[in-house]
Amino acid sequence: MTTENERSDFIRDMIKEDLATGRFDRVQTRFPPEPNGYLHIGHVKAMAMDFGVAEQFGGICSLRFDDTNPAKEEEEYVEAIMEDIRWLGFDWEDRLYFASDYFEQLYEFALQMIKAGKAYVDDLSAEEIREYRGTLTEPGKDSPWRERSVEENLDLFKRMRAGEFQNGEKTLRAKIDMSHPHINMRDPVMYRILHEEHHRTGDQWVIYPMYDWAHGQSDSLEGVTHSLCSIEYKNHRPLYDWFLDQLGIFHPQQIEFARFNMTYTVMSKRRLVQIVKDGYVRGWDDPRMITLAGMRRAGIPPEAIRAFIEHVGVGLSLSTIQHSKFDHFVRDDLNQRANRVNGVLRPLKVVLTNYPEGQEEMMEFPNHPDYPERGTRKVPFTRELYIEQDDFREDPPNKFWRLAPGREVRLRYGYLVTCTNVVKDEKGEIVEVHCTVDPETRGGNAPDGRRVKGTLHWVSAEQALDAEVRLYDRLFIHPFPMEAEGHFTDYINPKSLEVIENAKVEPSLGDAKVGDRFQFERVGYFCVDPDSTEEKLVFNRTIALRDSWAKIEKQQGG
RNA sequence: UGGGGAGUGGUGCAAUGGUAGCACAGAGGCCUUUGGAGCCUUUGAUCUUGGUUCGAGUCCAGGCUCCCCAGCCA
């Protein structure tokens, strides 16, 4: 096991170096989400780095909302994001910050830049700025407003703040170099005019700082030592450094690392929005979504998500993690965490013809076979039971060792039963099967030591509870929906949700609460959905158990 | 034909210049009152061409491929 203190990657190595050389004598990081949407699994990597690195080096990590664009940001997202971070188990303690807290200071810094002749007010329109910027291979050219005097710039910038101009009429730009080979250094915009209500500052401001102007200075003001971010900001580090150097203030080190993709899903906020808006799922917290809210509702434990993230690796190359890897960590966690219960998804009635009517025996089930300390519970065994339709075949194929005419199987922790008869309706559909029970085999063991290969789960027909079960599957049928021909929504899995209205679950589940997780033996992991009512439980399938019979059947061409 | 970054089994991550290893996936087997879990075995990789070296995934030079950047988004 790699403990948190042993973890190593190129970022941690750089930090160790910084500590060793005395460049920094402490470690401080920050997680800086923009409150314009929900957190998804991609953000977990950033959180694991920010919070994990701080913890490893005995430092601190804060939560800072990067709320510099009032047109996109909402308080609703602030609340949702904080809930998701807490759920994952990360703690910013009392260090909750907002970039908007620094608007006044940032304005003062801007004044300082103007006075130093390092920033100017530009009258060019958005379109003109683009034209003047040049292209990736051709240099840009100076704005005609680039050489305004400090006094004029000061005056204009103050009037920008005072609201004398309309959106887009003017910007404040850094005065760097319009022919710089690095396009981000060609006089980037520092402030734009936005007559918008801000979720925190209301109508106090009509000029808002751009990311590049806000982020580094925010880091500096907070005393962040290591500003970890994803790789697309690598192109912004020269600017990050430049602003800090011009201002001469505390200079944190920005370090970038690669994001990752996952097969059978899409990771960008924009696509996730579309999936929700176009109604492919029921909302941001739909269990098929890779949002934290969605995964929470699906029943995926936060620990599983963190364990998974620790195994995606930290580097600078774009990676595509196979969905099966994620599945592995979900199953691995749930296998230990989830207690076992009996749930029959597609009930088939079994009548035990030699079992007395009205008789009821309470059979003892371990809550978890690997953890006896979790105790046992009593499950009623009666003459009429339900088993899974899949567990009976009138004409069993090769290697099918479940119930069939003349076959004996074990009803787990119940009895050994032998199928004697199949009852069909007028259409030829099997409506029930008759079996005889061997009374000597109570608990599922034969005194004569005979071996029974098949073991089935079951519930009492009279005492089982009705439940709705929502069987979720991966949202996409293509491993790379973004790269496949056509539109990514063409590859949405039409069978990503199957609702079973009349599943039967054991009576002990009457006590289950929203969010409780169980393994339905031999079926999969399930979680109680918030849609559950007093009358009817609703379960979400988190993930199915590995099904090696399905594999055999497929190999057999069945 | 600008700037920046990356190339190791199917996927992801390792490897002071010294036996290319781990995880997931795949295949085979053992075990089993979950066809679950667990255990064992196994297939399979250094982008390319040169160079330095006793020895190169690692160092050097050239080439190729992929990713990011031309928002008044973050």
Side-chain angles (χ1 to χ4, degrees):
Chain A
M1 271 294 279
T2 301
T3 70
E4 188 62 25
N5 287 333
E6 293 171 287
R7 287 185 65 80
S8 175
D9 51 57
F10 81 97
I11 290 180
R12 283 168 231 254
D13 290 346
M14 287 170 79
I15 293 172
K16 273 178 209 150
E17 180 71 14
D18 284 343
L19 260 14
T21 61
R23 180 183 175 195
F24 295 112
D25 58 3
R26 65 197 170 82
V27 172
Q28 183 173 336
T29 58
R30 97 275 88 113
F31 175 60
E34 183 187 14
N36 71 341
Y38 287 77
L39 257 24
H40 60 71
I41 194 160
H43 295 109
V44 182
K45 183 172 181 180
M47 281 185 259
M49 288 303 297
D50 293 330
F51 286 99
V53 158
E55 185 187 355
Q56 178 172 342
F57 292 96
I60 52 175
C61 178
S62 45
L63 170 62
R64 182 176 74 234
F65 284 95
D66 233 333
D67 55 350
T68 56
N69 187 353
K72 294 186 174 180
E73 295 147 6
E74 293 169 30
E75 192 60 28
E76 173 203 342
Y77 294 124
V78 171
E79 298 301 325
I81 287 169
M82 291 199 290
E83 183 186 354
D84 287 345
I85 300 172
R86 280 193 209 99
W87 176 71
L88 260 187
F90 294 116
D91 188 1
W92 60 89
E93 297 174 342
D94 60 347
R95 298 176 298 276
L96 170 64
Y97 307 130
F98 294 82
S100 54
D101 292 343
Y102 312 130
F103 282 174
E104 189 63 46
Q105 177 65 251
L106 255 11
Y107 177 81
E108 294 299 323
F109 282 151
L111 257 20
Q112 188 181 329
M113 291 291 284
I114 292 170
K115 288 173 187 162
K118 299 289 183 183
Y120 62 98
V121 173
D122 195 353
D123 294 4
L124 254 29
S125 68
E127 194 181 334
E128 287 166 332
I129 285 180
R130 194 183 327 125
E131 286 163 8
Y132 276 69
R133 186 153 33 221
T135 69
L136 294 177
T137 53
E138 300 162 301
K141 58 183 178 185
D142 289 358
S143 164
W145 312 103
R146 197 172 194 264
E147 299 303 330
R148 285 214 254 233
S149 68
V150 168
E151 291 67 33
E152 188 180 4
N153 281 322
L154 245 19
D155 174 60
L156 255 16
F157 185 54
K158 286 174 183 170
R159 287 164 58 193
M160 279 170 66
R161 176 180 184 170
E164 290 188 28
F165 308 108
Q166 296 305 303
N167 289 359
E169 211 176 311
K170 285 180 169 33
T171 56
L172 183 74
R173 293 233 257 164
K175 196 170 179 179
I176 308 178
D177 180 0
M178 287 307 292
S179 61
H180 199 109
H182 200 307
I183 207 150
N184 287 334
M185 298 297 274
R186 315 231 266 234
D187 290 11
V189 172
M190 295 164 64
Y191 277 94
R192 75 288 213 185
I193 299 170
L194 286 173
H195 291 266
E196 283 287 342
E197 178 92 3
H198 186 279
H199 75 108
R200 299 204 92 219
T201 60
D203 58 3
Q204 199 182 330
W205 293 86
V206 297
I207 57 171
Y208 290 93
M210 296 288 289
Y211 165 86
D212 287 304
W213 175 244
H215 203 90
Q217 281 61 260
S218 301
D219 284 344
S220 179
L221 291 168
E222 288 170 9
V224 167
T225 57
H226 299 271
S227 183
L228 312 182
C229 58
S230 51
I231 202 166
E232 64 269 30
Y233 293 101
K234 195 139 192 137
N235 292 324
H236 294 251
R237 178 144 52 94
L239 229 199
Y240 182 102
D241 290 336
W242 190 85
F243 281 136
L244 259 11
D245 288 342
Q246 298 308 314
L247 259 13
I249 56 178
F250 176 72
H251 196 143
Q253 175 66 51
Q254 172 176 309
I255 311 176
E256 314 82 12
F257 58 90
R259 327 163 59 127
F260 68 99
N261 288 322
M262 248 169 67
T263 57
Y264 295 101
T265 189
V266 293
M267 296 281 269
S268 87
K269 217 180 256 181
R270 211 182 106 208
R271 326 278 174 204
L272 294 175
V273 168
Q274 190 179 347
I275 291 169
V276 172
K277 270 178 54 189
D278 294 354
Y280 290 107
V281 296
R282 294 180 182 180
W284 283 102
D285 66 345
D286 187 290
R288 289 164 289 186
M289 296 285 280
I290 52 159
T291 51
L292 293 181
M295 293 190 289
R296 175 166 60 234
R297 188 164 183 177
I300 297 172
E303 294 86 350
I305 298 172
R306 290 176 64 167
F308 163 73
I309 286 296
E310 282 177 15
H311 283 80
V312 307
V314 182
L316 289 171
S317 59
L318 178 73
S319 57
T320 301
I321 312 294
Q322 292 182 327
H323 205 285
S324 56
K325 187 146 194 157
F326 180 68
D327 293 345
H328 165 79
F329 284 98
V330 175
R331 287 197 182 100
D332 191 50
D333 181 289
L334 254 13
N335 176 45
Q336 298 163 253
R337 185 184 307 278
N339 281 344
R340 265 106 251 227
V341 295
N342 293 296
V344 174
L345 266 33
R346 297 177 181 82
L348 171 63
K349 183 170 278 188
V350 171
V351 180
L352 304 174
T353 52
N354 64 337
Y355 195 85
E357 251 172 277
Q359 181 169 318
E360 175 184 305
E361 289 179 84
M362 295 307 283
M363 313 306 286
E364 190 165 38
F365 274 64
N367 289 323
H368 192 122
D370 301 335
Y371 300 103
E373 66 274 21
R374 293 195 197 174
T376 61
R377 65 187 189 287
K378 304 284 194 193
V379 177
F381 186 91
T382 53
R383 186 170 194 266
E384 297 198 346
L385 309 168
Y386 289 117
I387 63 168
E388 211 72 62
Q389 286 172 20
D390 286 349
D391 285 340
F392 178 81
R393 290 290 182 86
E394 192 172 16
D395 184 19
N398 194 28
K399 289 186 180 172
F400 181 90
W401 59 68
R402 277 116 88 148
L403 195 63
R407 291 268 190 94
E408 181 175 52
V409 296
R410 172 167 36 239
L411 296 178
R412 194 161 206 229
Y413 300 117
Y415 285 94
L416 263 34
V417 299
T418 303
C419 177
T420 53
N421 192 25
V422 180
V423 181
K424 299 180 184 178
D425 62 16
E426 56 281 2
K427 287 180 291 188
E429 305 270 334
I430 298 171
V431 291
E432 60 183 50
V433 297
H434 289 357
C435 294
T436 54
V437 53
D438 179 348
E440 302 301 309
T441 59
R442 190 176 199 278
N445 284 306
D448 62 5
R450 70 180 187 273
R451 306 277 294 255
V452 175
K453 189 105 171 157
T455 300
L456 311 185
H457 60 282
W458 52 273
V459 294
S460 161
E462 293 96 281
Q463 304 221 22
L465 269 27
D466 287 323
E468 175 179 325
V469 176
R470 299 173 180 171
L471 301 178
Y472 292 102
D473 201 351
R474 51 184 57 161
L475 229 201
F476 290 91
I477 53 173
H478 194 289
F480 311 103
M482 292 312 299
E483 287 151 51
E485 204 183 312
H487 194 72
F488 78 95
T489 51
D490 297 344
Y491 298 94
I492 285 188
N493 181 3
K495 295 176 191 159
S496 63
L497 170 59
E498 180 186 356
V499 179
I500 292 179
E501 305 278 0
N502 56 344
K504 301 285 186 182
V505 300
E506 66 170 66
S508 74
L509 254 10
D511 298 331
K513 292 175 184 55
V514 169
D516 284 355
R517 305 183 184 95
F518 301 95
Q519 184 197 95
F520 287 6
E521 291 216 38
R522 301 207 309 132
V523 180
Y525 296 98
F526 293 82
C527 179
V528 180
D529 190 84
D531 286 348
S532 296
T533 62
E534 288 293 314
E535 291 73 43
K536 194 173 195 180
L537 284 161
V538 177
F539 289 95
N540 295 322
R541 181 172 69 191
T542 310
I543 191 166
L545 248 25
R546 290 179 59 139
D547 186 352
S548 49
W549 164 244
K551 199 156 73 181
I552 293 168
E553 204 175 21
K554 206 175 166 187
Q555 282 169 356
Q556 290 179 348

